[in-house]
Amino acid sequence: MISSTPSRRAAASVAALLALASVVPSAGCRGSGGPVRQAMESPAEKDRAAPAEPKVVVAPDADFAKYPSVFVAEVVVGQDATQGDDVKPEQLRTLAEDLRADLKSARGARRKVVDVVGPDTLVVKSFIVRAVPNSPLRNLAPQTQVRRAGYGYAAIFVEVNSAQHKGPLLTFSHERSTERFSLEKLSEWGSVEKSFETWAAQIADLMK
């Protein structure tokens, strides 16, 4: 079960990251009935918390089938994404590159990744709100895992746009913590990397 504490810490950061969207190239909850389709709200009105369950909002007129290409913008990393952990800038750049690569590779067979945005191109803008590493030595045995103290977690906000559409076609936000019974907790960045792979696949599925 994902702790609610990181979600509260992440809320303010998403607001700051959304303000960066203007400098990046323009670009409901998912349940048994699929993603919620509702009118998109302005950035000032969006819920900026990173929820413990994926929050997906799709524009009611979104038609992803008409976009044969996708441009994945460079990933923005929040200044306090690591929550005080001593992480080198090179590692943060690697994480951003990893997420971008995952989003590209999960695009689907019928959609081409491009380097230039055209009128029929989907633009994916992503923001790493949290990227907190695991403490592998503390996760070796259950008795060393006091209140999940050795667990890492990640939080993300993704927005999909196009030149043809006014406002976002899709927004996706989620916070994912380390799974207790998993091998990801035995690697420093295992949980964060697993989160990136999971989210990339979910977002690609939503854009079918």
Side-chain angles (χ1 to χ4, degrees), residues 103-122:
L103 290 167
K104 287 182 177 181
S105 63
R107 69 193 184 280
R110 64 177 180 79
R111 188 166 286 132
K112 179 182 178 181
V113 175
V114 296
D115 296 324
V116 178
V117 178
D120 57 354
T121 301
L122 291 174

Side-chain angles (χ1 to χ4, degrees), residues 20-116:
L20 296 174
S22 60
V23 302
V24 180
S26 64
C29 289
R30 182 175 171 82
S32 58
V36 173
R37 288 182 175 262
Q38 63 185 60
M40 302 298 295
E41 300 170 328
S42 68
E45 297 170 329
K46 283 177 182 170
D47 177 9
R48 291 167 173 79
E53 295 295 333
K55 180 178 180 181
V56 177
V57 180
V58 181
D61 59 343
D63 181 8
F64 295 105
K66 69 180 183 180
Y67 298 98
S69 61
V70 60
F71 173 84
V72 181
E74 291 189 10
V75 176
V76 177
V77 182
Q79 290 185 341
D80 59 346
T82 61
Q83 291 292 278
D85 279 81
D86 187 16
V87 179
K88 294 181 179 180
E90 306 88 76
Q91 179 61 58
L92 293 179
R93 284 194 293 271
T94 297
L95 291 175
E97 291 168 1
D98 287 348
L99 175 57
R100 191 181 187 196
D102 287 339
L103 290 167
K104 287 182 177 181
S105 63
R107 69 193 184 280
R110 64 177 180 79
R111 188 166 286 132
K112 179 182 178 181
V113 175
V114 296
D115 296 324
V116 178

Side-chain angles (χ1 to χ4, degrees), residues 6 20 30 43 71 78 92 109 113-114 134 140-141 144 153 173 182 195:
L20 296 174
R30 182 175 171 82
F71 173 84
L92 293 179
V113 175
V114 296
N134 289 315
L140 289 175
T144 65
Y153 67 98
S173 57
S182 68
S195 297

Side-chain angles (χ1 to χ4, degrees), residues 156-171:
I156 195 175
F157 180 89
V158 174
E159 187 172 280
V160 180
N161 301 301
S162 83
Q164 297 182 22
H165 193 269
K166 183 178 180 181
L169 288 162
L170 165 76
T171 61

